[in-house]
Amino acid sequence: VLFPLFRRALSHFLVCSFQQTVERQKHQDRLPNFHDKYGTPILLSGATFCLAIWAHAATQIGIEWNLSPVGRVVPKDWRSQ
């Protein structure tokens, strides 16, 4: 008997709090903040900078990546004992 009563009260509380939040946001004049104004350009410039640094590191620094051993691996000669 207690569990259905508790569940009903909890669902009523959640519905009421959700409705209050919706009403509060509906009546509030939302002004753009820093993230609304500058968030996307900052994210894109950071991603571009990161890609540029990685592209420079991958192509200009002179790292030998050793992606394929084909043509570089030579078998050693057998030594007779």
Side-chain angles (χ1 to χ4, degrees):
V1 175
L2 188 59
F3 182 70
L5 183 63
F6 176 73
R7 192 170 68 190
R8 183 172 177 224
L10 182 63
S11 69
H12 177 70
F13 174 73
L14 292 175
V15 168
C16 287
S17 64
F18 179 73
Q19 288 173 345
Q20 286 175 352
T21 304
V22 169
E23 289 294 324
R24 189 179 323 121
Q25 289 177 351
K26 192 187 315 180
H27 292 295
Q28 182 181 12
D29 290 334
R30 190 171 185 289
L31 298 175
N33 61 9
F34 178 83
H35 300 288
D36 293 332
K37 288 182 180 180
Y38 306 110
T40 304
I42 289 175
L43 179 67
L44 291 177
S45 63
T48 304
F49 178 76
C50 183
L51 286 173
I53 295 299
W54 275 105
H56 175 74
T59 59
Q60 301 297 318
I61 291 180
I63 298 173
E64 288 193 24
W65 297 97
N66 294 329
L67 296 177
S68 174
V70 175
R72 284 185 243 149
V73 176
V74 179
K76 295 181 180 179
D77 293 333
W78 286 93
R79 291 185 291 175
S80 299
Q81 290 183 351

